[in-house]
Amino acid sequence: MTGVICGTGACVPDRILDNNEIAQFVDTSDQWIQERTGVIRRRIAQTETTASMAAEAGRQALEEAGIRPEEIDMILAATATPDHIFPCAACEIQERLQAVNAVCFDLNAACSGFLFAYQTAQAYITSGMYRTILVVGSESLSRIVNWEDRGTCILFGDGSGAAVLRAKEGRNWIPAAHSDGKGGPALLCPGPNVSGNGGNLPGSDSAEDSGLERTGITMDGKAVFQFAVRKVPEVIREVLDANGLSADDIDWFILHQANRRIVESVAKRLKTDIERFPMNLQEYGNTSSASIPILLNEMNRKGLLKKGQKLVMAGFGAGLSWGAAVLEWGI
Ligand code: ACO
């Protein structure tokens, strides 16, 4: 038994923020951003929320799959930017979809989130525990970006993508995934301040400045770049070897859409034609856990994915964390 994707969906905010508009509030230019990252514009959530976008993406995926909300056994939401610390985003999605029989929880692995959630869903399905799982990647990164830091604010965007997996007879592909907590400082966003003696008890030092710090995302861009171009080809080779495949057997490599130079470098290191590495980061920027399912949905809806084609999905990001999965397209 394996989990086969039988429907996809995506939802991005209406508001478009292009490079020229960013150049009005930080010292940068459209040319610099495009040359270094490939990004031209991104979407910014205004009325939309992490859960509202995810529910819409999930609704589309269920519609395509012909699955009723009450048939879903589990909703797994990959997000680093839930609307609330609790309840989790997955429970909010459940409520919006009326997926009353689903067990729901979030998974935060930053930009590896969708890939890790997909692998988690596969584990539940292959164990026989659940049959129908909605996996969503959804982010409102614009809320945690430091809009005064030109080194990071140019990169990110908001959006959501979803895939619904159903148990079917088929091959169980061996996954690959890794983490390295030593690399944490390279890409960081502080959460509620729990430092200082006495925790946040009234009267303690840290009580006064508890709550979210305002530094937003900080990043050592060069370190992240070097990590990605070294580890992503490595983990793709690992997953191919584990499944007795070569890069030539793969029709599409669906990579996390961090930036164009990373994707190009991975294709080159794998000695693989760049045409098999689709990109849409020029339109959406880096949407973290949402980037893989948004791209998957776009390709699905354009009819580029054919039944029986083999895909590799690869995620990488903060943690540091990285991983890859092989799948056979089933729609
Ligand atoms: N506009 C103009 N100049 C800029 C900007 C900007 N937006 N940002 C930085 N600069 C300047 C710097 O200040 C520096 O100036 P200096 O030489 O006078 O000091 C110069 O440009 C070069 O800066 P670098 O940081 O060396 O630029 P680099 O070529 O490394 O590009 C970038 C920066 C695009 C962030 C690159 O490091 C990168 O792509 N890193 C990968 C990070 C990434 O993709 N993160 C995404 C999140 S993680 C993930 O999804 C995996």
Side-chain angles (χ1 to χ4, degrees), residues 291-310:
S291 80
I292 291 178
I294 290 175
L295 180 56
L296 205 59
N297 179 63
E298 198 169 293
M299 296 189 65
N300 177 30
R301 301 286 165 164
K302 282 183 180 163
L304 294 169
L305 305 176
K306 313 278 183 223
K307 197 170 179 150
Q309 282 187 336
K310 287 193 187 60

Side-chain angles (χ1 to χ4, degrees), residues 246-261:
S246 77
D248 291 341
D249 297 317
I250 304 302
D251 296 285
W252 301 105
F253 293 87
I254 312 286
L255 265 55
H256 163 50
Q257 301 287 290
N259 88 40
R260 192 188 60 223
R261 290 189 304 148

Side-chain angles (χ1 to χ4, degrees), residues 27-29 32-33 36-37 111 150-151 154-156 187 219 221-222 224-225 227-228 256 258-259 261-262 286 316-318:
D27 184 12
T28 189
S29 67
W32 194 98
I33 300 170
R36 304 287 176 121
T37 71
C111 303
R150 66 177 182 171
I154 57 164
L155 297 172
F156 299 101
L187 186 51
M219 179 181 74
K222 280 199 165 52
V224 174
F225 191 90
F227 145 73
H256 163 50
N259 88 40
R261 290 189 304 148
I262 292 178
N286 177 345
F316 50 97

Side-chain angles (χ1 to χ4, degrees), residues 79-253:
T79 182
T81 50
D83 302 315
H84 306 102
I85 291 176
F86 52 79
C88 64
C91 279
E92 297 191 65
I93 298 163
Q94 175 195 35
E95 173 61 12
R96 285 170 183 267
L97 292 176
Q98 288 301 294
V100 290
N101 295 311
V103 60
C104 306
F105 64 91
D106 291 1
L107 184 156
N108 176 359
C111 303
S112 304
F114 182 81
L115 199 274
F116 286 10
Y118 174 85
Q119 293 179 338
T120 306
Q122 287 291 2
Y124 275 106
I125 288 174
T126 54
S127 73
M129 208 163 157
Y130 296 118
R131 291 186 55 78
T132 307
I133 302 184
L134 179 65
V135 184
V136 183
S138 193
E139 304 287 1
S140 306
L141 293 163
S142 60
R143 301 203 180 115
I144 58 166
V145 160
N146 176 355
W147 288 103
E148 291 173 1
D149 176 13
R150 66 177 182 171
T152 54
C153 75
I154 57 164
L155 297 172
F156 299 101
D158 300 337
S160 182
V164 61
L165 274 67
R166 196 141 227 200
K168 293 202 172 142
E169 289 303 329
R171 180 167 169 185
N172 272 321
W173 303 99
I174 299 166
H178 302 279
S179 300
D180 176 11
K182 269 200 315 294
L187 186 51
L188 197 71
C189 181
N193 182 1
V194 289
S195 64
N197 293 329
N200 285 329
L201 282 176
S204 67
D205 291 347
S206 52
E208 280 172 23
D209 57 3
S210 64
L212 287 175
E213 290 182 19
R214 305 309 305 168
T215 54
I217 298 173
T218 58
M219 179 181 74
D220 177 344
K222 280 199 165 52
V224 174
F225 191 90
Q226 281 161 12
F227 145 73
V229 299
R230 208 176 65 245
K231 291 297 184 186
V232 179
E234 215 172 274
V235 79
I236 290 176
R237 278 197 207 99
E238 181 187 340
V239 86
L240 292 175
D241 287 350
N243 291 289
L245 298 169
S246 77
D248 291 341
D249 297 317
I250 304 302
D251 296 285
W252 301 105
F253 293 87

Side-chain angles (χ1 to χ4, degrees), residues 8-12 53 56-58 60-61 160-162 293-294 297-298 301:
T8 65
C11 176
V12 294
M53 292 186 288
E56 172 55 21
Q60 293 169 15
S160 182
I294 290 175
N297 179 63
E298 198 169 293
R301 301 286 165 164

